[in-house]
């Protein structure tokens, strides 16, 4: 059963009368199969699942796409309902607040910052972005009070920011990272892919191909730095870097698993992707 909740008062009332284990999938809506994979994992693991749909103004910069970010609630509910059919005894509550004041009422002006991770890579290019993400996720965690929360690994730095926040604030919530879902071509699913023209979509495969090549080089014991330096001559890379998967550290000398993180600029759209490689 899927139930829509549009006010925080209703959400709080429901949560206060519930004792089951709660899984939580925070989203900004415009759902695709990547989000649905998080929902299905939550439906497998938890008695009750809350999924939030909230385009959080705090995580968009002044010149970013907050206003044009696709809002498709009806279609989202249809996708959720269809996914829930595979779990006949499931209960899904969709918290889709009707305005931002429901989430951040007047006077609530705390900001959560995860220092160290907030000003590198995505954080450097989008100043304040991770404060906005951490603040809304902290607030949503406080309202939903889940035991477990699900995040897509496509936003790999975001996943690390949330894990660090949960650790710093000692929140009793398990953070589960979920694999990237891709189109057949390799392009990672993202709500922002719909901004791409057909030509841009085709051209954006450079991202998947480059990450795959770097992964193969690492697997075959070769140093990918020359290849990466060469690739970076294309000015459309916002970044293309290696990080330790566990710690997000730049120092990968003793890493057992390396993450290749990249953003490629396709016209006005920034395409994020990453791949993990086990080092044998
Ligand atoms: O990944 C997203 O969709 C958003 O950053 C999140 C986690 C829902 C917070 O607004």
């Amino acid at each position: 059963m899927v139930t829509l909740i549009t006010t925080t008062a209703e959400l709080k009332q429901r949560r206060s009368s519930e004792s089951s284990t709660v899984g939580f999938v925070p989203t900004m809506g415009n759902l695709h199969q990547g989000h649905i994979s998080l929902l299905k994992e939550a439906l497998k693991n938890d008695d009750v699942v809350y999924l939030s749909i909230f385009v959080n103004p705090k995580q968009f910069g002044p010149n970013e796409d907050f206003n044009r970010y696709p809002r498709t609630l009806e279609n989202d509910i249809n996708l959720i309902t269809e996914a829930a059919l595979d779990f006949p005894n499931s209960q899904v509550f969709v918290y889709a607040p009707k305005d931002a004041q429901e989430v951040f009422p007047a006077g609530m002006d705390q900001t959560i910052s995860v220092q160290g991770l907030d000003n590198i890579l995505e954080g450097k290019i989008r100043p304040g972005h991770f404060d906005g993400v951490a603040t809304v996720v902290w607030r949503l965690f406080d309202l939903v009070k889940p035991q477990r929360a699900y995040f897509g690994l496509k936003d790999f730095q975001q996943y690390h920011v949330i894990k660090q926040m949960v650790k710093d604030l000692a929140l009793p919530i398990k953070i589960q990272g979920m694999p990237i879902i891709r189109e057949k071509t390799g392009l990672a699913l993202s709500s922002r892919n719909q901004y791409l023209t057909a030509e841009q979509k085709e051209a954006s495969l450079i991202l998947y191909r480059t990450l795959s090549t770097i992964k193969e080089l690492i697997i075959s014991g070769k140093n990918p730095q020359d290849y990466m330096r060469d690739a970076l001559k294309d000015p459309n890379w916002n970044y293309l870097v290696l990080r330790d998967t566990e710690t997000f550290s730049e120092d990968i000398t003793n890493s057992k698993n390396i993450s290749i993180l990249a953003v490629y600029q396709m016209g006005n759209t920034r395409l994020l992707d990453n791949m993990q490689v086990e080092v044998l």
Side-chain angles (χ1 to χ4, degrees), residues 6 20 30-31 47 59 79 106 140 153 156 175 229 257 275:
T6 57
S20 328
N30 193 242
L31 304 185
D47 298 332
Q59 69 188 76
L79 281 176
L140 292 169
L153 291 176
F156 196 68
I175 302 301
R229 238 188 318 275
N257 197 301
M275 275 185 199

Side-chain angles (χ1 to χ4, degrees), residues 162-277:
I162 302 301
K163 279 216 320 189
Q164 191 60 47
M165 176 187 80
V166 163
K167 195 169 164 204
D168 291 350
L169 301 177
L171 303 176
I173 302 171
K174 182 176 182 318
I175 302 301
Q176 191 155 326
M178 293 292 296
I180 296 175
I181 306 290
R182 299 179 181 278
E183 291 188 4
K184 279 205 188 79
T185 57
L187 181 66
L189 296 193
S190 161
S191 300
R192 289 185 169 107
N193 289 354
Q194 62 195 272
Y195 297 153
L196 300 173
T197 64
E199 292 75 41
Q200 285 179 326
K201 218 170 170 188
E202 171 96 37
S204 66
L205 296 181
I206 187 175
L207 180 52
Y208 180 71
R209 290 203 191 112
T210 305
L211 294 185
S212 303
T213 304
I214 297 170
K215 183 170 177 165
E216 276 160 30
L217 287 169
I218 297 174
I219 289 173
S220 56
K222 298 193 179 107
N223 187 335
Q225 293 299 346
D226 285 348
Y227 174 80
M228 289 169 69
R229 238 188 318 275
D230 207 44
L232 282 166
K233 287 182 187 147
D234 175 348
N236 291 312
W237 292 100
N238 284 187
Y239 55 81
L240 175 62
V241 296
L242 304 179
R243 286 281 183 279
D244 183 278
T245 301
E246 230 6 78
T247 61
F248 211 76
S249 164
E250 224 174 323
D251 181 4
I252 53 165
T253 332
N254 296 314
S255 295
K256 303 237 173 318
N257 197 301
I258 293 174
S259 288
I260 313 154
L261 309 176
V263 171
Y264 194 84
Q265 186 81 40
M266 187 53 74
N268 290 328
T269 309
R270 302 179 64 246
L271 298 170
L272 261 88
D273 204 345
N274 66 79
M275 275 185 199
Q276 276 72 51
V277 201

Side-chain angles (χ1 to χ4, degrees), residues 26-28 54 56 59 133 136-137 151 155 158:
T27 82
M28 297 205 298
F54 177 58
N56 168 35
Q59 69 188 76
V133 170
V136 78
V137 172
F151 291 84
D155 296 302
Q158 166 174 284

